[in-house]
Amino acid sequence: MGATQNHPSVAPRGLSRADAARYVGVGVSLFNQMIMRNLMPPARAIGGRHVWDIRELDAAFDELPHMDEGSTSPPAASNDDPDDRPDNDFV
């Protein structure tokens, strides 16, 4: 009968730099700055690739302050990445 099995999709545990940045809601250049400031974890090495552990990203994100807990602005970002610019939807 040749029926095919349905394989559930597997959520990745490791993310590329761009996907990790997107996962936490920032652009790549801001994500890089957050890594340098120890606000986000460093990558893990898998072969020659840099991969971010989604669980470590979750833990680091949980430690970020809320807007009312200190700084009222996100970490400084360069203006070359549109994803790094603050949202002006509520201004």
Side-chain angles (χ1 to χ4, degrees), residues 33-88:
Q33 291 175 22
M34 294 174 79
I35 293 167
M36 289 187 292
R37 294 177 61 197
N38 295 318
L39 297 172
M40 284 293 138
R44 293 182 175 265
I46 300 178
R49 297 188 59 219
H50 294 103
V51 179
W52 279 262
D53 184 325
I54 200 165
R55 294 177 189 167
E56 292 175 351
L57 293 171
D58 286 338
F61 190 89
D62 288 344
E63 294 300 317
L64 293 173
H66 290 92
M67 291 297 286
D68 60 352
E69 291 181 7
S71 175
T72 57
S73 61
S78 63
N79 289 331
D80 61 350
D81 188 342
D83 290 335
D84 290 344
R85 295 184 193 133
D87 292 332
N88 292 320

Side-chain angles (χ1 to χ4, degrees), residues 6-15 19 54-55:
N6 291 331
H7 296 283
S9 63
V10 177
R13 166 93 184 257
L15 300 175
D19 288 341
I54 200 165
R55 294 177 189 167

